[in-house]
Amino acid sequence: MSFPSLDKFFTQGDFVGDFQKPCHRNTPEVADPIWLDVQGEIPTWLQGVLYRIGPGKFILGEEGGRSLTITHAFDGLAYIHRFEFDGNSQKIRYNSRHTAKAFEKQLLENPFGGYTSYGTVYAVGSAWQRFMDFLARVNKKPHPDPSSGPVNVTITPNFPIPGSWDTHGNPVLVAKTDSNRLQKVHHDTLEPEKLFDYSAYDERLKGRLSASHHQHDDRTNEVFNISMEVGMRPCLTVFKIDDKTGTATVLAEITHYLDDDNKTPFKPAYLHSFWLTQHYVIVPISPIYFKNNGLDLAVTGNLMSGMEYHADTPTLFYIVSREGGHVATVPVDPHFAFHTIHGHDYLDANGNIVLELNTQAFDGCEAVFQTADLTHLPRASEIDEVKALENIPRTKVNGFTVPPLNTFSQNSFGDLRQYKIVLDKHQPHKNPKADFITLIKNIEFARVHPAYQFKTYQYIYFNYMAPGIQNQKGSMFGLKKVDLKSGQETIWKPDTTDAYVCSEPVFIPRPGDALEEDDGVVLSLVNVYDNRGHHHDHCYMLILNAKDFTEYGRVPLGQFTAVTFHGSFVDHEFISTTYN
Ligand SMILES: [Fe+2]
Protein backbone atom coordinates (compact mmCIF):
# COMPACT_ATOMS: atom_id res chain seq x y z
CA MET A 1 0.00 0.00 0.00
CA SER A 2 1.32 3.46 -0.77
CA PHE A 3 0.20 6.86 0.36
CA PRO A 4 0.84 9.21 -2.53
CA SER A 5 -1.22 12.14 -1.30
CA LEU A 6 1.68 14.38 -0.39
CA ASP A 7 4.56 12.61 -2.08
CA LYS A 8 4.42 14.69 -5.22
CA PHE A 9 5.33 17.71 -3.15
CA PHE A 10 8.66 16.28 -2.05
CA THR A 11 11.94 15.69 -3.76
CA GLN A 12 14.22 12.80 -2.94
CA GLY A 13 16.39 15.27 -1.06
CA ASP A 14 13.74 15.58 1.59
CA PHE A 15 14.33 12.01 2.64
CA VAL A 16 17.85 12.66 3.83
CA GLY A 17 19.21 10.26 6.35
CA ASP A 18 20.52 7.21 4.56
CA PHE A 19 24.07 8.46 4.67
CA GLN A 20 24.18 8.49 8.47
CA LYS A 21 21.90 5.61 9.44
CA PRO A 22 19.90 7.70 11.89
CA CYS A 23 17.30 6.50 14.31
CA HIS A 24 15.27 9.59 13.64
CA ARG A 25 14.41 10.87 10.18
CA ASN A 26 13.58 14.26 8.84
CA THR A 27 10.01 15.31 8.26
CA PRO A 28 9.39 17.18 5.00
CA GLU A 29 7.98 20.69 5.15
CA VAL A 30 4.69 21.55 3.41
CA ALA A 31 4.83 25.34 3.53
CA ASP A 32 2.03 25.92 1.02
CA PRO A 33 -1.29 24.53 2.29
CA ILE A 34 -2.84 21.58 0.48
CA TRP A 35 -6.29 19.99 0.81
CA LEU A 36 -6.42 16.33 1.75
CA ASP A 37 -9.30 13.90 1.41
CA VAL A 38 -10.71 11.92 4.31
CA GLN A 39 -10.87 8.14 3.97
CA GLY A 40 -14.14 7.51 5.77
CA GLU A 41 -16.55 10.13 7.08
CA ILE A 42 -15.90 12.63 9.85
CA PRO A 43 -18.65 14.47 11.79
CA THR A 44 -19.84 17.63 10.06
CA TRP A 45 -19.45 19.49 13.37
CA LEU A 46 -15.71 18.88 13.37
CA GLN A 47 -14.59 22.36 12.40
CA GLY A 48 -11.37 23.92 13.58
CA VAL A 49 -7.62 23.66 13.64
CA LEU A 50 -5.38 21.11 15.31
CA TYR A 51 -1.82 22.33 15.78
CA ARG A 52 0.83 19.78 16.59
CA ILE A 53 4.48 20.43 17.41
CA GLY A 54 7.52 18.24 17.80
CA PRO A 55 10.97 17.35 16.57
CA GLY A 56 11.04 17.19 12.76
CA LYS A 57 14.66 17.52 11.75
CA PHE A 58 17.56 15.40 12.97
CA ILE A 59 19.97 15.24 10.04
CA LEU A 60 21.28 18.71 9.31
CA GLY A 61 23.34 19.71 6.30
CA GLU A 62 24.06 17.68 3.19
CA GLU A 63 26.00 14.60 2.31
CA GLY A 64 29.51 15.58 1.32
CA GLY A 65 29.14 18.96 2.99
CA ARG A 66 28.97 20.15 6.56
CA SER A 67 26.50 18.03 8.47
CA LEU A 68 25.38 17.35 12.01
CA THR A 69 23.27 14.55 13.47
CA ILE A 70 20.91 15.16 16.36
CA THR A 71 20.81 11.98 18.39
CA HIS A 72 18.22 12.63 21.09
CA ALA A 73 14.51 12.62 20.29
CA PHE A 74 13.88 15.73 22.38
CA ASP A 75 16.46 17.77 20.46
CA GLY A 76 15.07 17.34 16.94
CA LEU A 77 14.54 20.77 15.43
CA ALA A 78 11.04 22.13 15.78
CA TYR A 79 8.29 21.45 13.26
CA ILE A 80 4.73 22.67 13.60
CA HIS A 81 1.85 21.01 11.76
CA ARG A 82 -1.51 22.67 11.08
CA PHE A 83 -4.57 20.50 10.34
CA GLU A 84 -7.67 22.52 9.51
CA PHE A 85 -10.73 20.28 9.69
CA ASP A 86 -13.79 21.02 7.59
CA GLY A 87 -16.48 18.47 8.37
CA ASN A 88 -18.79 19.98 5.77
CA SER A 89 -16.51 19.34 2.81
CA GLN A 90 -14.92 16.26 4.42
CA LYS A 91 -11.49 17.73 3.74
CA ILE A 92 -8.47 18.81 5.75
CA ARG A 93 -6.28 21.75 4.86
CA TYR A 94 -2.72 20.92 5.86
CA ASN A 95 0.53 22.81 6.09
CA SER A 96 3.68 22.47 8.17
CA ARG A 97 6.82 24.45 8.85
CA HIS A 98 10.32 23.99 10.15
CA THR A 99 10.45 26.76 12.75
CA ALA A 100 14.13 26.71 13.77
CA LYS A 101 15.86 27.44 10.46
CA ALA A 102 18.20 30.13 11.78
CA PHE A 103 19.12 27.85 14.70
CA GLU A 104 19.96 25.09 12.23
CA LYS A 105 22.16 27.48 10.24
CA GLN A 106 24.00 28.56 13.39
CA LEU A 107 24.54 24.95 14.48
CA LEU A 108 26.07 24.06 11.14
CA GLU A 109 28.26 27.15 11.03
CA ASN A 110 29.56 26.70 14.58
CA PRO A 111 28.40 23.82 16.79
CA PHE A 112 30.36 25.42 19.67
CA GLY A 113 28.12 28.49 19.70
CA GLY A 114 26.92 28.13 23.29
CA TYR A 115 23.76 26.11 22.68
CA THR A 116 21.94 23.97 25.22
CA SER A 117 20.48 20.57 24.38
CA TYR A 118 18.55 17.89 26.25
CA GLY A 119 20.79 14.95 25.38
CA THR A 120 22.58 15.63 22.10
CA VAL A 121 26.28 16.51 22.07
CA TYR A 122 26.47 18.72 19.01
CA ALA A 123 30.22 18.38 18.59
CA VAL A 124 33.25 16.93 20.37
CA GLY A 125 36.13 19.36 20.17
CA SER A 126 39.32 20.55 21.76
CA ALA A 127 39.48 21.95 25.28
CA TRP A 128 39.71 25.43 23.76
CA GLN A 129 36.57 24.91 21.65
CA ARG A 130 34.64 23.64 24.66
CA PHE A 131 35.82 26.60 26.72
CA MET A 132 34.67 29.01 24.00
CA ASP A 133 31.37 27.12 23.87
CA PHE A 134 30.96 27.64 27.63
CA LEU A 135 31.75 31.35 27.35
CA ALA A 136 29.25 31.72 24.50
CA ARG A 137 26.59 30.01 26.63
CA VAL A 138 27.00 32.19 29.70
CA ASN A 139 27.20 35.37 27.60
CA LYS A 140 24.35 34.46 25.30
CA LYS A 141 22.72 37.48 23.67
CA PRO A 142 19.29 37.46 22.04
CA HIS A 143 19.42 36.81 18.29
CA PRO A 144 17.11 38.93 16.14
CA ASP A 145 15.92 36.07 13.93
CA PRO A 146 12.66 34.58 15.34
CA SER A 147 13.72 31.09 14.22
CA SER A 148 17.07 31.22 16.02
CA GLY A 149 16.03 29.11 19.01
CA PRO A 150 14.70 25.57 19.41
CA VAL A 151 11.08 25.58 20.67
CA ASN A 152 9.47 22.21 20.01
CA VAL A 153 7.29 20.95 22.88
CA THR A 154 3.91 22.68 23.27
CA ILE A 155 1.85 24.95 21.02
CA THR A 156 -0.89 27.18 22.42
CA PRO A 157 -3.53 29.28 20.65
CA ASN A 158 -4.60 32.46 22.46
CA PHE A 159 -1.58 32.53 24.75
CA PRO A 160 -1.44 36.02 26.32
CA ILE A 161 1.34 38.21 25.04
CA PRO A 162 2.84 41.25 26.79
CA GLY A 163 0.34 44.08 26.90
CA SER A 164 2.56 46.49 25.01
CA TRP A 165 2.65 44.30 21.90
CA ASP A 166 0.21 44.93 19.08
CA THR A 167 -1.25 41.84 17.42
CA HIS A 168 -3.17 43.92 14.86
CA GLY A 169 -6.23 41.86 15.73
CA ASN A 170 -4.69 38.62 14.50
CA PRO A 171 -5.06 35.35 16.42
CA VAL A 172 -2.06 34.53 18.59
CA LEU A 173 -0.20 31.23 18.53
CA VAL A 174 2.78 30.60 20.83
CA ALA A 175 5.18 27.64 21.11
CA LYS A 176 6.92 26.76 24.38
CA THR A 177 9.64 24.54 25.77
CA ASP A 178 11.30 23.77 29.13
CA SER A 179 13.82 26.55 28.71
CA ASN A 180 12.55 30.04 29.37
CA ARG A 181 11.95 30.56 25.66
CA LEU A 182 8.73 31.21 23.77
CA GLN A 183 8.14 31.61 20.07
CA LYS A 184 5.22 33.45 18.54
CA VAL A 185 4.33 32.00 15.16
CA HIS A 186 1.78 33.02 12.55
CA HIS A 187 -1.50 31.19 13.14
CA ASP A 188 -1.89 30.24 9.47
CA THR A 189 1.49 30.22 7.74
CA LEU A 190 3.30 29.08 10.92
CA GLU A 191 6.15 31.46 10.12
CA PRO A 192 8.13 32.42 13.25
CA GLU A 193 7.41 36.00 14.24
CA LYS A 194 9.11 36.56 17.56
CA LEU A 195 11.40 34.76 19.99
CA PHE A 196 11.10 35.94 23.57
CA ASP A 197 11.08 34.87 27.22
CA TYR A 198 8.90 35.50 30.25
CA SER A 199 10.97 38.54 31.26
CA ALA A 200 9.07 40.31 28.45
CA TYR A 201 6.09 40.28 30.87
CA ASP A 202 8.06 41.09 34.04
CA GLU A 203 11.81 41.43 34.40
CA ARG A 204 11.74 39.18 37.48
CA LEU A 205 10.78 36.23 35.24
CA LYS A 206 14.22 35.80 33.76
CA GLY A 207 15.07 32.37 35.23
CA ARG A 208 16.81 30.08 32.79
CA LEU A 209 14.12 27.38 32.89
CA SER A 210 10.35 27.18 32.74
CA ALA A 211 7.69 24.51 32.16
CA SER A 212 6.59 23.54 28.65
CA HIS A 213 3.13 22.88 30.06
CA HIS A 214 1.68 26.04 31.51
CA GLN A 215 -1.66 25.93 33.31
CA HIS A 216 -4.70 28.01 32.44
CA ASP A 217 -7.79 28.77 34.52
CA ASP A 218 -10.64 28.86 32.02
CA ARG A 219 -12.88 30.71 34.53
CA THR A 220 -10.54 33.52 35.56
CA ASN A 221 -8.71 33.66 32.23
CA GLU A 222 -5.22 33.48 33.67
CA VAL A 223 -2.09 31.61 32.64
CA PHE A 224 0.21 30.16 35.30
CA ASN A 225 3.82 29.06 34.99
CA ILE A 226 7.18 29.04 36.74
CA SER A 227 10.55 30.60 36.09
CA MET A 228 13.47 28.72 37.62
CA GLU A 229 16.81 30.40 38.23
CA VAL A 230 19.96 28.30 38.54
CA GLY A 231 23.41 29.49 39.63
CA MET A 232 24.48 31.32 42.78
CA ARG A 233 20.94 32.13 43.97
CA PRO A 234 18.56 29.38 42.85
CA CYS A 235 14.95 30.51 42.91
CA LEU A 236 11.60 29.09 41.88
CA THR A 237 9.34 31.95 40.84
CA VAL A 238 5.63 31.12 40.43
CA PHE A 239 3.61 33.62 38.44
CA LYS A 240 0.38 34.24 36.58
CA ILE A 241 -0.44 36.30 33.50
CA ASP A 242 -3.80 37.90 32.82
CA ASP A 243 -5.14 36.83 29.41
CA LYS A 244 -6.58 40.19 28.49
CA THR A 245 -3.89 42.59 29.68
CA GLY A 246 -0.78 40.43 29.41
CA THR A 247 0.15 41.64 32.89
CA ALA A 248 2.22 39.27 35.04
CA THR A 249 1.85 38.86 38.81
CA VAL A 250 4.49 37.08 40.87
CA LEU A 251 2.85 34.73 43.39
CA ALA A 252 5.96 33.46 45.15
CA GLU A 253 9.74 33.60 44.91
CA ILE A 254 10.88 30.41 46.60
CA THR A 255 14.47 30.15 47.74
CA HIS A 256 13.95 27.77 50.68
CA TYR A 257 12.06 24.66 51.68
CA LEU A 258 9.21 25.69 54.01
CA ASP A 259 10.32 23.53 56.94
CA ASP A 260 10.58 24.46 60.60
CA ASP A 261 13.54 26.76 60.35
CA ASN A 262 13.21 27.75 56.68
CA LYS A 263 16.87 27.00 56.13
CA THR A 264 16.93 24.25 53.51
CA PRO A 265 17.68 25.93 50.18
CA PHE A 266 15.61 25.29 47.08
CA LYS A 267 17.51 23.01 44.71
CA PRO A 268 16.81 23.60 41.01
CA ALA A 269 15.69 20.48 39.15
CA TYR A 270 14.30 19.45 35.78
CA LEU A 271 10.59 20.21 35.50
CA HIS A 272 8.12 19.72 32.65
CA SER A 273 4.64 20.32 34.12
CA PHE A 274 2.81 21.16 37.36
CA TRP A 275 -0.73 21.41 38.77
CA LEU A 276 -3.30 24.13 39.16
CA THR A 277 -6.32 23.88 41.46
CA GLN A 278 -8.99 26.44 42.27
CA HIS A 279 -6.82 27.97 45.01
CA TYR A 280 -3.27 26.66 44.61
CA VAL A 281 -0.36 26.12 42.26
CA ILE A 282 1.55 22.92 43.05
CA VAL A 283 5.06 22.47 41.63
CA PRO A 284 6.57 18.97 41.90
CA ILE A 285 10.36 19.07 42.24
CA SER A 286 11.80 15.60 41.73
CA PRO A 287 15.29 14.70 43.01
CA ILE A 288 16.90 15.21 39.59
CA TYR A 289 18.82 18.31 40.45
CA PHE A 290 20.98 20.46 38.28
CA LYS A 291 24.41 19.56 39.56
CA ASN A 292 26.24 22.36 41.37
CA ASN A 293 23.12 24.48 41.02
CA GLY A 294 23.40 24.48 37.24
CA LEU A 295 27.15 24.99 36.81
CA ASP A 296 27.50 21.60 35.09
CA LEU A 297 24.64 22.49 32.75
CA ALA A 298 26.37 25.75 31.86
CA VAL A 299 29.69 24.01 31.28
CA THR A 300 28.40 21.09 29.20
CA GLY A 301 25.36 22.70 27.60
CA ASN A 302 23.62 19.38 28.01
CA LEU A 303 20.72 18.76 30.36
CA MET A 304 21.43 15.05 30.82
CA SER A 305 25.07 15.54 31.75
CA GLY A 306 24.14 18.48 33.96
CA MET A 307 21.72 16.54 36.20
CA GLU A 308 22.23 14.31 39.23
CA TYR A 309 19.69 11.87 40.62
CA HIS A 310 19.36 11.35 44.38
CA ALA A 311 17.35 8.14 44.56
CA ASP A 312 16.71 8.34 48.30
CA THR A 313 15.56 11.95 48.37
CA PRO A 314 11.84 12.70 48.29
CA THR A 315 10.06 14.52 45.53
CA LEU A 316 8.85 17.82 46.97
CA PHE A 317 5.51 19.40 46.18
CA TYR A 318 5.90 23.18 46.54
CA ILE A 319 2.41 24.56 47.23
CA VAL A 320 1.73 28.21 46.43
CA SER A 321 -1.47 30.13 47.04
CA ARG A 322 -3.09 31.73 44.01
CA GLU A 323 -3.52 34.76 46.25
CA GLY A 324 0.25 34.81 46.67
CA GLY A 325 2.65 33.14 49.08
CA HIS A 326 4.43 29.83 49.61
CA VAL A 327 2.04 27.76 51.74
CA ALA A 328 3.77 24.41 52.26
CA THR A 329 6.50 22.09 51.04
CA VAL A 330 5.31 18.48 51.03
CA PRO A 331 7.72 15.54 50.72
CA VAL A 332 6.38 12.47 48.88
CA ASP A 333 7.98 9.31 47.45
CA PRO A 334 10.84 9.88 44.96
CA HIS A 335 9.16 9.83 41.58
CA PHE A 336 9.11 11.74 38.34
CA ALA A 337 6.26 12.68 36.04
CA PHE A 338 6.63 14.37 32.70
CA HIS A 339 2.92 15.09 32.75
CA THR A 340 0.49 15.99 35.46
CA ILE A 341 -3.14 15.53 34.41
CA HIS A 342 -5.62 17.18 36.68
CA GLY A 343 -5.96 18.81 40.08
CA HIS A 344 -8.62 20.17 42.37
CA ASP A 345 -8.91 21.19 46.02
CA TYR A 346 -11.63 21.05 48.66
CA LEU A 347 -12.08 21.23 52.44
CA ASP A 348 -12.60 18.05 54.44
CA ALA A 349 -15.09 17.64 57.30
CA ASN A 350 -12.63 19.29 59.71
CA GLY A 351 -12.04 22.27 57.47
CA ASN A 352 -8.56 21.14 56.49
CA ILE A 353 -7.33 21.70 52.94
CA VAL A 354 -7.27 18.68 50.64
CA LEU A 355 -5.47 18.68 47.31
CA GLU A 356 -6.30 15.84 44.91
CA LEU A 357 -3.60 15.68 42.25
CA ASN A 358 -3.54 13.25 39.34
CA THR A 359 -0.30 12.58 37.53
CA GLN A 360 1.48 10.09 35.28
CA ALA A 361 4.29 8.98 37.57
CA PHE A 362 7.35 6.84 36.99
CA ASP A 363 8.90 5.15 40.02
CA GLY A 364 12.20 6.89 40.64
CA CYS A 365 13.57 9.25 38.04
CA GLU A 366 15.45 7.08 35.52
CA ALA A 367 12.71 7.75 32.94
CA VAL A 368 14.21 11.18 32.38
CA PHE A 369 17.22 9.41 30.83
CA GLN A 370 15.23 6.81 28.85
CA THR A 371 13.86 9.04 26.15
CA ALA A 372 16.56 9.23 23.46
CA ASP A 373 14.73 7.03 20.96
CA LEU A 374 11.20 7.73 22.08
CA THR A 375 10.29 8.73 18.55
CA HIS A 376 11.32 5.60 16.66
CA LEU A 377 9.71 2.30 17.54
CA PRO A 378 11.44 -1.02 16.76
CA ARG A 379 10.05 -2.85 13.76
CA ALA A 380 9.31 -6.59 13.97
CA SER A 381 12.81 -7.35 12.68
CA GLU A 382 14.48 -5.11 15.27
CA ILE A 383 12.98 -6.41 18.52
CA ASP A 384 15.83 -8.81 19.41
CA GLU A 385 18.40 -6.15 18.52
CA VAL A 386 16.81 -3.76 21.01
CA LYS A 387 16.49 -6.46 23.67
CA ALA A 388 20.19 -7.34 23.32
CA LEU A 389 21.06 -3.79 24.30
CA GLU A 390 19.50 -4.42 27.71
CA ASN A 391 22.35 -6.78 28.56
CA ILE A 392 25.34 -4.54 27.94
CA PRO A 393 27.41 -3.55 31.03
CA ARG A 394 26.10 -0.52 32.86
CA THR A 395 27.31 1.77 35.58
CA LYS A 396 26.00 4.71 37.58
CA VAL A 397 26.95 8.26 36.69
CA ASN A 398 25.54 11.09 38.78
CA GLY A 399 23.02 8.59 40.16
CA PHE A 400 21.65 7.63 36.75
CA THR A 401 22.11 4.26 35.05
CA VAL A 402 24.44 4.74 32.09
CA PRO A 403 24.02 3.97 29.28
CA PRO A 404 20.30 4.41 29.85
CA LEU A 405 17.95 1.57 29.10
CA ASN A 406 15.95 1.88 25.92
CA THR A 407 12.46 3.35 26.24
CA PHE A 408 10.94 0.10 25.05
CA SER A 409 12.86 -2.22 27.35
CA GLN A 410 10.59 -1.06 30.16
CA ASN A 411 7.50 -2.47 28.39
CA SER A 412 5.41 0.14 30.15
CA PHE A 413 4.96 3.82 30.74
CA GLY A 414 4.30 5.06 34.28
CA ASP A 415 1.15 4.88 36.40
CA LEU A 416 -1.82 7.17 36.79
CA ARG A 417 -1.49 8.13 40.44
CA GLN A 418 -3.84 10.19 42.52
CA TYR A 419 -1.96 12.02 45.25
CA LYS A 420 -3.97 13.28 48.19
CA ILE A 421 -2.35 16.04 50.24
CA VAL A 422 -3.96 17.25 53.48
CA LEU A 423 -2.87 20.58 54.96
CA ASP A 424 -3.87 21.82 58.39
CA LYS A 425 -6.32 24.73 58.12
CA HIS A 426 -4.41 26.80 60.70
CA GLN A 427 -0.81 25.81 59.99
CA PRO A 428 -0.69 24.34 56.49
CA HIS A 429 3.12 24.12 56.48
CA LYS A 430 3.20 21.95 59.64
CA ASN A 431 3.18 18.17 59.21
CA PRO A 432 1.33 17.91 55.91
CA LYS A 433 -0.06 14.46 55.12
CA ALA A 434 0.48 12.84 51.73
CA ASP A 435 -0.35 9.53 50.13
CA PHE A 436 -1.41 8.20 46.75
CA ILE A 437 -3.36 5.47 45.04
CA THR A 438 -2.68 3.99 41.60
CA LEU A 439 -5.62 4.14 39.22
CA ILE A 440 -4.13 2.95 35.91
CA LYS A 441 -0.87 1.27 34.88
CA ASN A 442 1.08 2.03 31.68
CA ILE A 443 -0.15 5.50 30.79
CA GLU A 444 1.34 8.60 29.09
CA PHE A 445 0.17 11.66 27.15
CA ALA A 446 -3.27 11.55 28.78
CA ARG A 447 -6.03 14.00 27.88
CA VAL A 448 -9.46 14.57 29.38
CA HIS A 449 -12.49 16.67 28.45
CA PRO A 450 -11.27 20.29 28.63
CA ALA A 451 -14.43 21.49 30.43
CA TYR A 452 -13.74 19.21 33.42
CA GLN A 453 -11.05 21.44 34.89
CA PHE A 454 -11.27 21.24 38.72
CA LYS A 455 -14.19 18.78 38.39
CA THR A 456 -14.34 15.03 38.78
CA TYR A 457 -13.96 13.48 35.34
CA GLN A 458 -14.96 10.00 34.25
CA TYR A 459 -13.12 9.36 31.00
CA ILE A 460 -9.43 9.55 30.22
CA TYR A 461 -7.73 9.02 26.84
CA PHE A 462 -4.04 8.14 26.67
CA ASN A 463 -1.15 6.25 25.11
CA TYR A 464 -0.03 2.87 26.35
CA MET A 465 3.10 0.98 25.38
CA ALA A 466 3.24 -2.60 24.10
CA PRO A 467 6.46 -4.40 23.16
CA GLY A 468 6.82 -6.18 19.83
CA ILE A 469 7.69 -9.82 19.07
CA GLN A 470 10.71 -10.58 16.89
CA ASN A 471 9.69 -11.18 13.26
CA GLN A 472 6.01 -11.12 14.20
CA LYS A 473 5.01 -7.62 15.15
CA GLY A 474 6.58 -4.29 15.89
CA SER A 475 6.36 -2.32 19.13
CA MET A 476 3.65 0.27 19.56
CA PHE A 477 2.33 3.24 21.42
CA GLY A 478 -1.39 2.53 21.22
CA LEU A 479 -4.53 4.40 22.17
CA LYS A 480 -6.72 3.56 25.14
CA LYS A 481 -9.72 5.03 26.89
CA VAL A 482 -10.62 4.19 30.48
CA ASP A 483 -13.89 4.79 32.29
CA LEU A 484 -12.66 5.61 35.78
CA LYS A 485 -16.07 4.82 37.30
CA SER A 486 -16.48 1.33 35.90
CA GLY A 487 -12.86 0.52 35.04
CA GLN A 488 -13.90 -0.41 31.51
CA GLU A 489 -11.11 -0.14 28.92
CA THR A 490 -11.55 0.64 25.25
CA ILE A 491 -8.61 0.07 22.89
CA TRP A 492 -8.10 1.09 19.28
CA LYS A 493 -6.79 -1.95 17.41
CA PRO A 494 -5.48 -1.33 13.89
CA ASP A 495 -5.06 -4.36 11.65
CA THR A 496 -1.28 -4.31 11.29
CA THR A 497 1.92 -5.98 12.47
CA ASP A 498 3.94 -2.84 11.73
CA ALA A 499 5.38 -0.81 14.59
CA TYR A 500 3.42 2.37 15.16
CA VAL A 501 3.25 5.41 17.39
CA CYS A 502 -0.01 7.14 18.06
CA SER A 503 0.48 10.72 19.12
CA GLU A 504 -1.17 12.05 22.27
CA PRO A 505 -4.95 11.56 21.79
CA VAL A 506 -6.59 14.98 21.70
CA PHE A 507 -10.25 14.82 22.76
CA ILE A 508 -12.50 17.35 21.00
CA PRO A 509 -16.01 17.65 22.48
CA ARG A 510 -19.01 17.96 20.20
CA PRO A 511 -20.17 21.61 20.46
CA GLY A 512 -23.20 22.20 22.66
CA ASP A 513 -24.29 22.03 26.26
CA ALA A 514 -25.42 19.15 28.47
CA LEU A 515 -23.76 16.49 26.34
CA GLU A 516 -22.22 13.32 27.70
CA GLU A 517 -18.62 13.63 28.77
CA ASP A 518 -17.33 11.37 26.00
CA ASP A 519 -19.44 12.83 23.19
CA GLY A 520 -16.77 13.90 20.75
CA VAL A 521 -13.82 12.75 18.70
CA VAL A 522 -10.27 11.77 19.49
CA LEU A 523 -7.57 12.93 17.10
CA SER A 524 -4.18 11.23 16.87
CA LEU A 525 -1.39 11.52 14.32
CA VAL A 526 -0.18 7.97 13.69
CA ASN A 527 3.34 7.17 12.50
CA VAL A 528 3.84 3.70 11.04
CA TYR A 529 7.27 2.05 10.99
CA ASP A 530 6.75 -0.45 8.21
CA ASN A 531 8.15 -3.97 8.51
CA ARG A 532 9.47 -3.69 4.94
CA GLY A 533 11.85 -0.85 5.87
CA HIS A 534 11.89 2.88 6.36
CA HIS A 535 11.17 3.79 2.73
CA HIS A 536 7.67 2.42 3.39
CA ASP A 537 7.11 4.35 6.62
CA HIS A 538 4.09 6.62 6.54
CA CYS A 539 1.75 8.63 8.71
CA TYR A 540 -1.90 9.53 8.86
CA MET A 541 -4.31 11.57 10.94
CA LEU A 542 -6.75 9.29 12.77
CA ILE A 543 -10.22 10.47 13.74
CA LEU A 544 -11.96 8.22 16.30
CA ASN A 545 -15.41 8.27 17.86
CA ALA A 546 -14.52 8.98 21.49
CA LYS A 547 -17.38 6.81 22.75
CA ASP A 548 -16.27 3.46 21.37
CA PHE A 549 -13.01 4.18 19.50
CA THR A 550 -14.50 3.18 16.16
CA GLU A 551 -12.88 4.98 13.25
CA TYR A 552 -14.63 7.92 11.67
CA GLY A 553 -11.78 8.20 9.22
CA ARG A 554 -8.15 8.53 8.35
CA VAL A 555 -6.30 11.20 6.42
CA PRO A 556 -3.07 9.85 4.87
CA LEU A 557 -0.28 12.42 4.80
CA GLY A 558 2.42 10.58 2.88
CA GLN A 559 5.38 8.22 3.07
CA PHE A 560 7.27 9.88 5.87
CA THR A 561 6.99 10.12 9.65
CA ALA A 562 6.02 13.26 11.54
CA VAL A 563 6.89 12.92 15.20
CA THR A 564 5.05 15.32 17.48
CA PHE A 565 4.88 15.73 21.25
CA HIS A 566 1.80 17.83 21.89
CA GLY A 567 -1.11 19.54 20.22
CA SER A 568 -3.93 22.02 20.70
CA PHE A 569 -7.29 22.37 19.00
CA VAL A 570 -9.02 25.68 18.39
CA ASP A 571 -12.15 26.64 16.51
CA HIS A 572 -11.91 28.82 13.44
CA GLU A 573 -12.70 31.94 15.45
CA PHE A 574 -9.95 31.24 17.96
CA ILE A 575 -12.45 31.28 20.81
CA SER A 576 -12.83 27.71 22.06
CA THR A 577 -9.55 25.93 22.74
CA THR A 578 -8.35 22.61 24.07
CA TYR A 579 -4.63 22.56 24.67
CA ASN A 580 -1.76 20.95 26.47
FE1 LIG B 1 5.11 17.21 27.54
Side-chain angles (χ1 to χ4, degrees), residues 153-154 212-213 272 338-339 445 566:
V153 187
T154 56
S212 292
H213 296 274
H272 190 63
F338 285 104
H339 299 118
F445 294 108
H566 296 293

Coordinates of all heavy atoms in Angstrom, one line a residue, residues 153-154 212-213 272 338-339 445 566, ligand 1:
V153 N 8.0 21.9 22.0 CA 7.3 20.9 22.9 C 5.8 21.2 22.9 O 5.0 20.3 22.7 CB 7.9 21.0 24.3 CG1 7.2 19.9 25.2 CG2 9.4 20.8 24.3
T154 N 5.4 22.4 23.2 CA 3.9 22.7 23.3 C 3.6 23.8 22.4 O 4.4 24.7 22.1 CB 3.4 23.0 24.7 OG1 4.2 24.1 25.2 CG2 3.6 21.8 25.6
S212 N 7.2 23.6 30.0 CA 6.6 23.5 28.7 C 5.1 23.6 28.8 O 4.4 24.2 28.0 CB 6.9 22.3 27.9 OG 8.3 22.2 27.6
H213 N 4.6 22.9 29.9 CA 3.1 22.9 30.1 C 2.7 23.9 31.1 O 2.9 23.7 32.3 CB 2.7 21.5 30.5 CG 3.0 20.4 29.5 ND1 2.1 20.1 28.5 CD2 4.1 19.6 29.3 CE1 2.6 19.1 27.8 NE2 3.8 18.9 28.2
H272 N 8.8 19.7 33.9 CA 8.1 19.7 32.6 C 6.7 20.2 32.8 O 6.1 20.7 31.8 CB 8.2 18.3 32.0 CG 7.7 18.3 30.6 ND1 8.4 18.9 29.6 CD2 6.7 17.6 30.0 CE1 7.8 18.7 28.4 NE2 6.7 17.9 28.7
F338 N 6.6 13.3 33.7 CA 6.6 14.4 32.7 C 5.3 15.2 32.7 O 5.3 16.4 32.6 CB 6.8 13.7 31.3 CG 8.2 13.2 31.0 CD1 8.5 11.9 31.1 CD2 9.2 14.1 30.8 CE1 9.7 11.4 30.8 CE2 10.5 13.7 30.5 CZ 10.8 12.3 30.6
H339 N 4.2 14.4 33.0 CA 2.9 15.1 32.8 C 2.0 14.9 33.9 O 1.6 13.8 34.2 CB 2.3 14.5 31.5 CG 3.1 14.8 30.3 ND1 3.6 13.8 29.5 CD2 3.5 16.0 29.7 CE1 4.4 14.3 28.5 NE2 4.3 15.6 28.6
F445 N 0.8 10.7 28.1 CA 0.2 11.7 27.2 C -1.4 11.7 27.3 O -2.1 11.7 26.3 CB 0.6 11.4 25.7 CG 2.0 11.6 25.4 CD1 2.9 10.5 25.2 CD2 2.5 12.9 25.4 CE1 4.2 10.7 25.0 CE2 3.9 13.1 25.2 CZ 4.7 12.0 24.9
H566 N 3.1 17.3 21.4 CA 1.8 17.8 21.9 C 1.0 18.6 20.8 O 1.6 19.0 19.8 CB 2.1 18.7 23.1 CG 2.7 17.9 24.2 ND1 2.0 17.0 24.9 CD2 3.9 18.0 24.8 CE1 2.8 16.4 25.9 NE2 3.9 17.0 25.8
Ligands
FE1 FE 5.1 17.2 27.5

